[in-house]
Amino acid sequence: LKLQFLYLIGCWQLCARDTHHRIMSARLAMLALCAGAACADDGRLAPVVIPARPSPYFSWERLPMAFHGANQTGEYSAEAVALMAKYQMVTIEKWYTACAAMRPDRSQGGPACAVEAKVEKVLGEVGALNPNTTRVLYLNSLFNFAFYELNGRMLEAEAAGKESFLRDRHGEVVYLCNDGNGYCNITTFDWTKPHVRDLWMEAVSNATATGNVEGIFADHSAQEQYNIGTPTQGQTPLEMCNGRGALKKCYEFTADFKESFNSWHTWSTNKSQDVLAKTTGGPVICGSYAMWNVRCDFDAIREAQKTHNVVEVKDGCAPSPKCLAAYLTAAEEGTYLSCFMDAPQHFPEMDYTLGAPDGPAEERAAGVYRRRFASGTVAWWDNNKKTGNVTWGGRA
């Protein structure tokens, strides 16, 4: 017990390097203090997992770009795949191909769609053209979308008498619409069930075993505050809600179940990230270390980088000169300018030679920053006026 206590305190000191790790290490310290019979782990609460950090491909050779999207009408064309191969990271969204697409009646295709296999196929095609591209599968950590093969496994477990879908305090299965009411009657993973956790980790393992997937996009994660009782979606302390307007629904849970579910939901993304970091190096986007949808703004980018070593900055499909200036002056290694659209996009600056920066942006005057790159490209950002410009030194 003494050795365990000293080990955990040692981890605490090593991890207390930034705010994010201090939060996790505080939980470790509590575990150390509770390491007696009175605090014995009965499986109700998840063990704390401090995941290894991801190391997706990143290069300053050209503008570091990421793509996130999916074609809802069919498979991507060879031309679209070739364009995706220009990006350093590619995430294929859940609604890839017609069987997984959003429908006017908000219904979902069934598990025969097996959208994972379709995503793995196109990501393999991207990898064949550019093996460096980090390829990411969308796998929602809360919603069990019906058109995934994983849902088929969940249905099999339910049919065998093993409750797998989340149920409220009255035993009613939770059925929700997603954020924009694009899909409805979506079931939710019951993270308190060991066999559900096994199915999830098996899905992650199967995807990466193909060699075509290196990371997952774990939307609605605990790290994004999608838990029972968090303020997201206007929930009360014991509720889970989702959907908009007349389609919004809420379900209530006991305080004990809430604590258990939320702890295991957190475990799911942290455990997945630890496994991926130690195998493919890929990220769990929306997890502990990888963040998406960050505003293309100098301060917003720098703030995100304080706690995440993988950051996706939005507005990268056709970025304005102002966005390019903000990105180039603020971005650190692991921060990508990202395009969120059904089809990959191209703009001239994607083909320009950039080269590594000389270092962080220099503050030449109060709130005015300059950064130079190996190609001779120079980016300026005036944080007082919230504007900037880029003089490109390397052209295609």
Side-chain angles (χ1 to χ4, degrees):
L1 180 61
K2 183 177 180 181
L3 287 174
Q4 181 184 18
F5 178 83
L6 291 173
Y7 171 76
L8 289 169
I9 291 299
C11 287
W12 186 17
Q13 293 170 338
L14 286 172
C15 292
R17 296 177 181 174
D18 57 50
T19 302
H20 186 69
H21 275 158
R22 282 195 292 272
I23 293 169
M24 289 186 176
S25 56
R27 293 184 70 187
L28 272 176
M30 289 299 293
L31 284 181
L33 295 172
C34 287
C39 296
D41 180 17
D42 60 2
R44 187 179 71 85
L45 297 180
V48 175
V49 176
I50 297 182
R53 287 181 176 265
S55 53
Y57 176 72
F58 183 90
S59 172
W60 289 111
E61 181 181 355
R62 301 189 190 280
L63 198 61
M65 295 290 301
F67 171 72
H68 181 133
N71 179 15
Q72 297 193 55
T73 61
E75 295 188 356
Y76 277 119
S77 66
E79 291 76 16
V81 170
L83 187 51
M84 278 191 280
K86 290 178 175 286
Y87 289 79
Q88 295 184 19
M89 186 159 63
V90 171
T91 301
I92 302 299
E93 178 64 38
K94 58 185 170 291
W95 50 65
Y96 184 52
T97 71
C99 67
M102 290 184 286
R103 303 171 178 181
D105 63 359
R106 300 184 175 88
S107 64
Q108 304 172 72
C113 176
V115 73
E116 302 99 312
K118 295 175 172 59
V119 171
E120 290 157 10
K121 176 177 179 290
V122 71
L123 290 177
E125 293 168 356
V126 171
L129 295 177
N130 184 358
N132 287 327
T133 299
T134 296
R135 290 153 288 157
V136 180
L137 167 74
Y138 182 101
L139 191 62
N140 196 295
S141 72
L142 198 65
F143 288 145
N144 172 44
F145 287 103
F147 41 82
Y148 277 74
E149 184 180 1
L150 176 56
N151 176 52
R153 302 294 305 280
M154 293 278 285
L155 289 169
E156 289 171 2
E158 284 276 342
K162 299 172 71 175
E163 291 187 353
S164 305
F165 301 142
L166 182 63
R167 288 165 166 80
D168 69 4
R169 67 184 304 159
H170 306 295
E172 182 181 351
V173 174
V174 172
Y175 291 101
L176 293 169
C177 296
N178 69 336
D179 303 345
N181 295 342
Y183 304 92
C184 286
N185 296 316
I186 312 165
T187 56
T188 296
F189 300 108
D190 184 349
W191 285 112
T192 69
K193 299 291 196 294
H195 69 275
V196 172
R197 302 194 292 268
D198 290 344
L199 287 175
W200 168 275
M201 294 307 301
E202 182 181 301
V204 173
S205 176
N206 288 345
T208 57
T210 65
N212 298 335
V213 173
E214 294 152 310
I216 61 171
F217 189 100
D219 206 0
H220 287 77
S221 66
Q223 289 81 0
E224 288 189 305
Q225 298 301 305
Y226 282 93
N227 265 337
I228 297 172
T230 50
T232 310
Q233 306 293 333
Q235 302 168 161
T236 64
L238 293 177
E239 281 187 329
M240 177 180 287
C241 306
N242 221 77
R244 292 183 182 175
L247 295 177
K248 180 178 178 179
K249 295 178 70 176
C250 296
Y251 294 82
E252 191 175 16
F253 302 85
T254 66
D256 187 70
F257 183 85
K258 166 191 169 179
E259 186 180 21
S260 179
F261 178 91
N262 290 355
S263 75
W264 283 109
H265 188 206
T266 301
W267 174 92
S268 69
T269 43
N270 283 340
K271 181 65 174 179
S272 299
Q273 181 59 91
D274 194 53
V275 169
L276 291 173
K278 294 172 180 177
T279 52
T280 66
V284 173
I285 302 174
C286 304
S288 294
Y289 302 131
M291 184 179 188
W292 77 299
N293 211 29
V294 174
R295 286 185 299 114
C296 193
D297 170 79
F298 182 81
D299 288 333
I301 295 169
R302 294 209 302 180
E303 187 65 26
Q305 291 170 161
K306 290 179 182 178
T307 52
H308 296 77
N309 73 311
V310 179
V311 175
E312 289 192 83
V313 178
K314 64 181 181 179
D315 297 332
C317 294
S320 66
K322 177 180 172 180
C323 175
L324 288 169
Y327 171 79
L328 287 172
T329 48
E332 299 173 0
E333 184 170 336
T335 295
Y336 305 83
L337 187 58
S338 299
C339 175
F340 303 103
M341 192 173 283
D342 284 353
Q345 303 296 301
H346 181 269
F347 53 92
E349 291 86 350
M350 287 177 66
D351 295 327
Y352 295 174
T353 300
L354 183 61
D358 292 346
E362 298 176 349
E363 192 170 9
R364 291 299 185 92
V368 179
Y369 297 85
R370 177 187 183 273
R371 196 181 199 187
R372 185 184 182 280
F373 295 81
S375 63
T377 295
V378 176
W380 286 89
W381 181 257
D382 186 333
N383 210 31
N384 306 302
K385 299 179 180 178
K386 300 296 181 182
T387 190
N389 63 76
V390 181
T391 302
W392 293 93
R395 300 290 178 121

